[in-house]
Amino acid sequence: MTVALMWEARAVAGRGEDLLAWVRRQEMRKEPVRREVLRAPQDRVLVITWWDAAYDAELPELPEPDGELVARTVHRWRFESVTED
């Protein structure tokens, strides 16, 4: 089974590049199958990691950035792959 973890944060206005740099420096204790970093307007950064694991497996996640870097709490979601019948 493939599980995707999504991590999304919104930087304090004008600090999007700082948040992006912070995300790129974060190392995980275990490497995912794939890791993708995306950005969007309003200084938002999204990280998606894919894992070969069960939906409820304990997986490493990115931490919460310093409060002076983000405008709100990080949003996190977990999804599992589905197959077509």
Side-chain angles (χ1 to χ4, degrees):
M1 169 182 292
T2 300
V3 175
L5 301 183
M6 297 177 66
W7 178 101
E8 187 261 343
R10 183 173 179 185
V12 171
R15 304 236 13 228
E17 288 299 320
D18 296 333
L19 179 59
L20 188 57
W22 180 89
V23 163
R24 289 179 169 155
R25 287 192 308 271
Q26 300 308 301
E27 294 184 21
M28 303 183 99
R29 63 178 164 80
K30 179 181 172 187
E31 286 300 311
V33 172
R34 181 175 167 201
R35 176 176 168 165
E36 190 168 349
V37 178
L38 303 103
R39 66 177 162 190
Q42 299 176 329
D43 293 318
R44 290 178 293 144
V45 176
L46 173 67
V47 180
I48 307 171
T49 55
W50 286 264
W51 305 86
D52 283 330
Y55 183 81
D56 58 353
E58 240 182 82
L59 298 169
E61 295 195 39
L62 292 174
E64 192 85 21
D66 177 31
E68 294 182 11
L69 185 58
V70 291
R72 59 166 168 73
T73 304
V74 169
H75 293 175
R76 300 168 193 271
W77 302 275
R78 184 177 285 226
F79 295 90
E80 65 183 343
S81 294
V82 293
T83 58
E84 304 243 356
D85 291 329

